[in-house]
Amino acid sequence: MTTSFLRFAVTATFLFFTSAAQPQTPSSNKTQTPTQKGAQFQLSPAKTPLVFEPNRGQAASNFQWIGHGAGFRLGISNDGATLEFVDRKATPPAKPRFLNPSDLAKPQAKSKSAPSTLVKLHLSGSNGWKPAGAEPSGGISNYFIGKTSATWQTDIPQYAQVKVASVYQGIDLIFHGDESALEYDFVLAPGADPRQIQLQFEGAASLEVDKTNGDLVLATTNKTELLRHAQPKIYQVVGGKNVPVKGGFQVLKGNIASFTIEKYDRAKPLVIDPTIRFVTFLGGSDTDAANAVAVDGRGFTYVTGQTYSGNFNVVGGVIQSGRSGDSDAFVTKLGTGGNIVFSTYLGGGDNDAGYGIAVDASGVYAAGQTHSDDFPLAQALQAEKRGDGTIFVTKLSPSGNRLVYSTYLGGSNAENGGAIAIDASQSAYVAGFTTSRDFPVVHGYEYYRGAAVSGFVSKIAPNGVSLVYSTYMGGSNVDSISGIAVDSSLSAYVTGEAASNDFPYAGYQSTMFGGSPSAFLTKLSPAGDSLIYSTSLSLETTIGTAVSLDFAGNAYVAGTFCSPCESPHPDLVFVSKVSPAGKLTYSKLFSGTDGSSDGYAIATDAGGDTWVVGSTSSTTFPGAPPLTPNPTAGFLMKLDANGNGPLYTIFLGASINGVAVTKPTSTLGQIVYPTIYTAGMRYTGGKSASNQDAFVVKLDEEPVIENQP
């Protein structure tokens, strides 16, 4: 007898917008394909080419082209190519949930740019460089850096290659690559003499060919390895196939290298293809983190976060950020296949980070924290930054190349946050926490800050120039907000952590359950001046980080249970469901038998199926294959509408910070399956686990029918 059953095949495509290598799994740094609890995960990583841009003012004038890569910066001029390596043991860009809100009351030192090392490639005896773009990728870059619109650069096309024609007689040079490897090909026309090629490296004290593998090693004066050129691939195309030609590197003298090439057909073109790899340079590379993800009705993905490797300039001969701060906020739009549609950078003279993102047909909304006095503004409801760090709210045009509006939002002390949601009228709702007594408040539920740190909720008018309402949300102790959602009636739902015994609770659970701080869920009236309900969610210490809604008006909250929140007690993930009346429907805890686990984001479909993401150091996280995190694993788990599960768990990278879900509308009883979008960070290797890159993963649930005897 044969029976059939339904199981889910979750296929994932890795979508990289930072030219990053494949997200590493926690133990082996290789993609896992686990099968458990009736769910099969087939992960299909998609490689992304390096991104090259013509210089249209976003870099110093001596560079004609700039390149974006993982762990390096590239500038191509009329006499060579300059590689900059940033020696960084970076502190991970922190979302509000990682912060102690009381730290905002402390003065924050302005950061300094990280030191960097340069290596410049010249071609001795060449005919000069005339670089040009090849193979347009279809994506664009936009740079809104600084307050002066005259310096903004938009609609800069992205290319997969830069070609320098006729660097020697009959020889072209082509730069390209994928993920964390930069390649440069010498393409020799029939009869061209390869002995013309002489690679001169400025910035390296010595060159040496590694006898074990043929790599060319560039080193400092104390023999510290700077970078490594893999043994070149040398071949000719014959009958549509690559036919290898024997050869390799040789050091001529000092800092000049060339190639040895054995017998080949001189009547046919020849390709010499060295590869530069940037895996372990001085234990550090630039840090990037994706903090939130959104998806539109057509399946396009939008990501915001913080990048230390965004735009380029030259100061004292060094390719580096054109600002005094280390980082910019970014917004990247990806096509349904993972291609970059646009990347837009937002920043000024200090550190900036995007923490929340939302999208509708009129544009893309991003919010976060800025320390920059010259953050790019347009149609601003607040034109000056009053405190050290404050909130920014920016709406981009659908193509990402125009600021519909961009504004500061804060008082004379400091704020953090950037949770954002939008309603059908294009109003934006922003939440976070503030230490300012003069945070802008209008038509609010609370007009005065009750303690040193208080949550806030602000609703911005569709045109961005005014506040519909803005309110404090807190009591007499430290309280903060980390997540926000908005329903069709224009009520905002917020969650976070409340340490105040007099936090404004109302409704089902009108006092703190007992933990301090306690996760809470508060539903504001559409006018923002009263509470429909406000409830504590836990008997013990918890922190709410994100909230989502289903069509029936149920609210779902994810976060961290940590009672007590101190070592050696492990954290657990909690997920709670609250009814439309504000009554707790269920509350679930998830963790392994060892290690800590934290919930960072949540998404819910119309029927209440729920996806939760975060990070864990547990080797036995429920529903997942056994592994050893390195030191953490990013997890995605699914629960049904009643909190049963995990129906499946999957590991991706080191931390998953954002999740969004789309599900087609079913007709005539047709079964439809969701698509899940996640964003986070992964470790890139090297000597320090703080080396990070951002990633986005798109997962499709599809039915698979199996017959079994």
Side-chain angles (χ1 to χ4, degrees):
M1 180 179 178
T2 300
T3 60
S4 64
F5 66 93
L6 180 68
R7 62 184 173 86
F8 291 98
V10 181
T11 58
T13 303
F14 292 101
L15 314 176
F16 304 102
F17 50 89
T18 55
S19 299
Q22 177 176 314
Q24 299 170 354
T25 53
S27 56
S28 64
N29 294 334
K30 295 181 180 178
T31 303
Q32 303 285 332
T33 55
T35 300
Q36 72 278 346
K37 292 193 175 182
Q40 181 182 5
F41 305 99
Q42 301 169 346
L43 307 186
S44 305
K47 287 193 174 183
T48 299
L50 300 184
V51 175
F52 298 93
E53 299 171 3
N55 182 10
R56 299 207 175 151
Q58 76 273 28
S61 59
N62 58 314
F63 291 112
Q64 282 75 55
W65 289 81
I66 59 174
H68 299 245
F72 72 95
R73 297 165 178 168
L74 174 69
I76 302 175
S77 60
N78 59 9
D79 66 345
T82 301
L83 291 167
E84 181 190 5
F85 309 90
V86 179
D87 182 14
R88 179 189 302 282
K89 293 185 178 179
T91 301
K95 293 192 71 172
R97 60 175 175 270
F98 295 128
L99 298 178
N100 180 350
S102 62
D103 288 345
L104 283 182
K106 304 173 184 177
Q108 299 187 24
K110 190 172 182 178
S111 64
K112 297 180 179 180
S113 298
S116 59
T117 300
L118 273 72
V119 174
K120 186 168 184 177
L121 169 64
H122 298 282
L123 296 178
S124 297
S126 75
N127 296 327
W129 293 46
K130 296 180 181 179
E135 296 190 8
S137 68
I140 63 170
S141 295
N142 305 294
Y143 295 90
F144 296 100
I145 305 298
K147 186 174 289 189
T148 305
S149 60
T151 64
W152 298 346
Q153 303 294 331
T154 62
D155 296 317
I156 300 173
Q158 298 176 351
Y159 291 79
Q161 295 184 357
V162 171
K163 179 178 180 180
V164 187
S166 300
V167 288
Y168 295 104
Q169 184 67 36
I171 301 177
D172 296 337
L173 173 61
I174 299 175
F175 289 92
H176 65 101
D178 59 63
E179 301 175 351
S180 61
L182 170 66
E183 300 183 36
Y184 56 99
D185 297 355
F186 292 99
V187 181
L188 283 70
D193 186 355
R195 292 175 297 180
Q196 299 178 84
I197 303 172
Q198 294 190 15
L199 310 174
Q200 182 177 6
F201 296 97
E202 178 185 336
S206 65
L207 307 180
E208 182 178 344
V209 177
D210 189 330
K211 295 179 180 179
T212 63
N213 53 24
D215 292 356
L216 180 66
V217 179
L218 283 66
T220 64
T221 53
N222 62 1
K223 301 301 181 181
T224 300
E225 183 176 321
L226 283 174
L227 73 157
R228 181 178 290 259
H229 291 234
Q231 183 179 31
K233 299 185 289 287
I234 305 173
Y235 62 90
Q236 292 184 294
V237 179
V238 180
K241 297 182 179 180
N242 293 349
V243 178
V245 175
K246 291 184 178 180
F249 287 111
Q250 64 175 344
V251 177
L252 298 181
K253 58 180 180 179
N255 62 352
I256 298 178
S258 186
F259 301 101
T260 62
I261 300 175
E262 297 187 14
K263 184 178 179 180
Y264 68 98
D265 187 348
R266 295 181 179 273
K268 292 183 172 64
L270 178 73
V271 178
I272 305 172
D273 183 5
T275 300
I276 306 174
R277 302 206 177 274
F278 307 88
V279 180
T280 58
F281 174 74
L282 298 182
S285 64
D286 279 7
T287 291
D288 307 286
N291 291 330
V293 63
V295 61
D296 66 19
R298 296 184 296 164
F300 289 90
T301 312
Y302 302 78
V303 188
T304 191
Q306 183 177 16
T307 176
Y308 287 90
S309 51
N311 66 318
F312 307 92
N313 209 328
V314 171
V315 178
V318 178
I319 306 172
Q320 64 178 31
S321 166
R323 59 210 184 284
S324 55
D326 279 349
S327 66
D328 284 331
F330 69 84
V331 175
T332 295
K333 178 180 179 180
L334 300 167
T336 55
N339 57 297
I340 298 174
V341 179
F342 67 73
S343 286
T344 297
Y345 300 92
L346 299 164
D350 211 318
N351 288 350
D352 313 291
Y355 293 137
I357 193 165
V359 61
D360 63 17
S362 70
V364 187
Y365 306 72
Q369 187 191 45
T370 176
H371 290 266
S372 299
D373 293 326
D374 57 345
F375 192 85
L377 304 178
Q379 297 288 104
L381 66 88
Q382 182 178 325
E384 298 294 332
K385 181 175 74 70
R386 298 183 226 165
D388 177 31
T390 195
I391 302 299
F392 75 83
V393 186
T394 298
K395 181 178 180 180
L396 297 170
S397 63
S399 58
N401 61 356
R402 181 173 62 87
L403 299 179
V404 178
Y405 64 76
S406 186
T407 184
Y408 292 114
L409 180 63
S412 56
N413 206 336
E415 291 79 31
N416 205 344
I420 190 169
I422 53 176
D423 64 24
S425 70
Q426 302 174 15
S427 295
Y429 301 70
V430 183
F433 52 91
T434 178
T435 63
S436 299
R437 291 191 178 277
D438 56 351
F439 187 87
V441 174
V442 58
H443 307 305
Y445 173 72
E446 290 183 0
Y447 282 84
Y448 302 100
R449 191 194 71 184
V453 180
S454 176
F456 72 84
V457 183
S458 299
K459 179 178 179 179
I460 299 174
N463 61 8
V465 299
S466 63
L467 291 170
V468 178
Y469 69 75
S470 185
T471 182
Y472 287 109
M473 181 66 61
S476 57
N477 206 325
V478 173
D479 309 301
S480 65
I481 296 174
S482 298
I484 189 168
V486 178
D487 66 17
S488 58
S489 70
L490 310 187
S491 285
Y493 301 68
V494 294
T495 189
E497 56 181 299
S500 299
N501 289 320
D502 56 350
F503 185 85
Y505 291 118
Y508 168 68
Q509 177 61 40
S510 58
T511 60
M512 185 181 295
F513 261 139
S516 180
S518 174
F520 63 87
L521 177 66
T522 298
K523 180 179 179 180
L524 289 162
S525 67
D529 56 0
S530 62
L531 304 181
I532 295 177
Y533 66 73
S534 184
T535 181
S536 176
L537 295 176
S538 176
L539 289 167
E540 299 188 66
T541 304
T542 47
I543 299 169
T545 55
V547 58
S548 62
L549 309 172
D550 66 20
F551 278 5
N554 296 294
Y556 303 77
V557 177
T560 297
F561 175 97
C562 54
S563 187
C565 293
E566 57 188 34
S567 181
H569 303 279
D571 296 345
L572 292 81
V573 178
F574 85 82
V575 183
S576 297
K577 178 179 179 179
V578 177
S579 72
K583 183 176 181 179
L584 187 65
T585 303
Y586 71 69
S587 189
K588 305 280 186 174
L589 295 176
F590 301 92
S591 187
T593 57
D594 60 340
S596 289
S597 305
D598 299 278
Y600 294 156
I602 191 169
T604 308
D605 69 11
D609 282 348
T610 301
W611 290 261
V612 181
V613 300
S615 69
T616 181
S617 62
S618 173
T619 62
T620 57
F621 193 84
L627 52 76
T628 302
N630 181 32
T632 60
F635 71 83
L636 163 70
M637 69 175 180
K638 180 181 180 180
L639 310 176
D640 69 14
N642 297 315
N644 298 316
L647 304 182
Y648 58 73
T649 299
I650 188 170
F651 283 129
L652 297 168
S655 174
I656 305 179
N657 300 331
V659 61
V661 174
T662 60
K663 188 174 183 180
T665 303
S666 61
T667 57
L668 300 176
Q670 177 188 9
I671 299 176
V672 295
Y673 300 93
T675 298
I676 306 102
Y677 304 79
T678 66
M681 53 75 60
R682 54 103 202 191
Y683 300 133
T684 57
K687 299 178 183 178
S688 170
S690 65
N691 306 326
Q692 301 172 6
D693 262 323
F695 71 84
V696 183
V697 178
K698 174 182 176 182
L699 304 100
D700 290 302
E701 284 189 8
E702 297 176 353
V704 176
I705 302 296
E706 283 192 353
N707 294 325
Q708 288 191 346

